[in-house]
């Protein structure tokens, strides 16, 4: 699994979720994707089982792949710190990956609702390397031109 799956994951999220207007909360989106725990209740017994796996499988697969990639991700970000915190609390393996995936869905939902972009420290250089690895160098020029035009419109 690769830690550089951000662009395909974002494309899948946008393709299946759209602008997110049909979901009122991130919890509803997690339910749609199938990243919520199953419950088995009978009398006084209340068991929490693994994730339901009902829902949009392509989005769940990409989000889970991205969550597992966070474990090997060498950059310092909130998700890598959260993974380390989960490991310190002895939440290992699949439980940690599902928790990271849920956090990624919450972040993605907020970005869809606000129309914002996820910002990382030194994000421009990271984006250029990422686009080159996907052989999308033309987008680098487009991205740079857009930034330059945005700066010129701000200066006026």
């Amino acid at each position: 699994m690769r830690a550089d799956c951000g662009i395909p994951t974002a494309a899948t999220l946008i393709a299946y979720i759209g602008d997110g207007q049909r979901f009122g909360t991130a919890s509803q989106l997690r339910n749609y994707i199938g990243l919520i725990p199953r419950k088995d209740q009978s009398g006084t017994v209340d068991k929490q089982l693994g994730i339901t796996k009902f829902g949009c499988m392509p989005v769940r697969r990409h989000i889970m792949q991205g969550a597992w990639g966070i474990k090997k991700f060498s950059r310092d970000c909130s998700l890598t710190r959260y993974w380390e915190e989960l490991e310190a609390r002895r939440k290992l393996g699949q439980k940690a990956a599902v928790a990271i995936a849920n956090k990624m869905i919450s972040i993605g939902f907020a970005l869809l609702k606000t129309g914002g972009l996820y910002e990382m420290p030194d994000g421009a250089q990271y984006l250029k390397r990422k686009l080159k690895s996907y052989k999308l160098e033309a987008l680098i020029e487009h991205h740079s031109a857009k930034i330059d035009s945005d700066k010129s419109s701000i200066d006026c």
Side-chain angles (χ1 to χ4, degrees), residues 30-46:
R30 284 192 295 271
N31 190 15
Y32 171 76
I33 293 170
L35 282 175
I36 58 168
R38 284 187 332 199
K39 292 189 176 194
D40 183 17
Q41 296 176 325
S42 174
T44 59
V45 177
D46 187 13

Side-chain angles (χ1 to χ4, degrees), residues 16-149:
Y16 282 91
I17 308 303
D19 61 359
Q21 295 301 315
R22 59 187 164 150
F23 304 104
T25 63
S27 179
Q28 290 175 349
L29 178 57
R30 284 192 295 271
N31 190 15
Y32 171 76
I33 293 170
L35 282 175
I36 58 168
R38 284 187 332 199
K39 292 189 176 194
D40 183 17
Q41 296 176 325
S42 174
T44 59
V45 177
D46 187 13
K47 295 180 188 174
Q48 234 182 0
L49 306 169
I51 61 174
T52 62
K53 296 185 183 173
F54 290 110
C56 188
M57 191 262 300
V59 175
R60 185 175 59 250
R61 181 179 15 177
H62 279 276
I63 293 293
M64 287 302 296
Q65 181 179 6
W68 277 107
I70 292 296
K71 184 176 184 177
K72 304 256 187 222
F73 199 53
S74 61
R75 295 174 60 92
D76 183 41
C77 70
S78 63
L79 294 173
T80 56
R81 288 190 299 270
Y82 187 50
W83 187 283
E84 291 166 1
E85 177 187 323
L86 290 169
E87 285 182 335
R89 290 189 293 167
R90 309 293 295 161
K91 301 283 186 193
L92 305 172
Q94 189 72 10
K95 287 184 180 183
V98 170
I100 294 289
N102 278 321
K103 188 165 184 135
M104 290 170 66
I105 287 295
S106 296
I107 292 169
F109 179 75
L111 294 174
L112 280 174
K113 284 291 194 179
T114 62
L117 294 173
Y118 185 72
E119 306 247 348
M120 282 184 8
D122 193 26
Q125 293 299 324
Y126 182 73
L127 178 63
K128 285 181 183 178
R129 282 194 312 272
K130 176 85 72 176
L131 291 174
K132 282 182 183 178
S133 73
Y134 286 113
K135 300 190 179 3
L136 298 172
E137 288 87 1
L139 290 176
I140 294 172
E141 295 166 12
H142 174 73
H143 181 69
S144 298
K146 183 168 175 25
I147 290 173
D148 292 340
S149 69

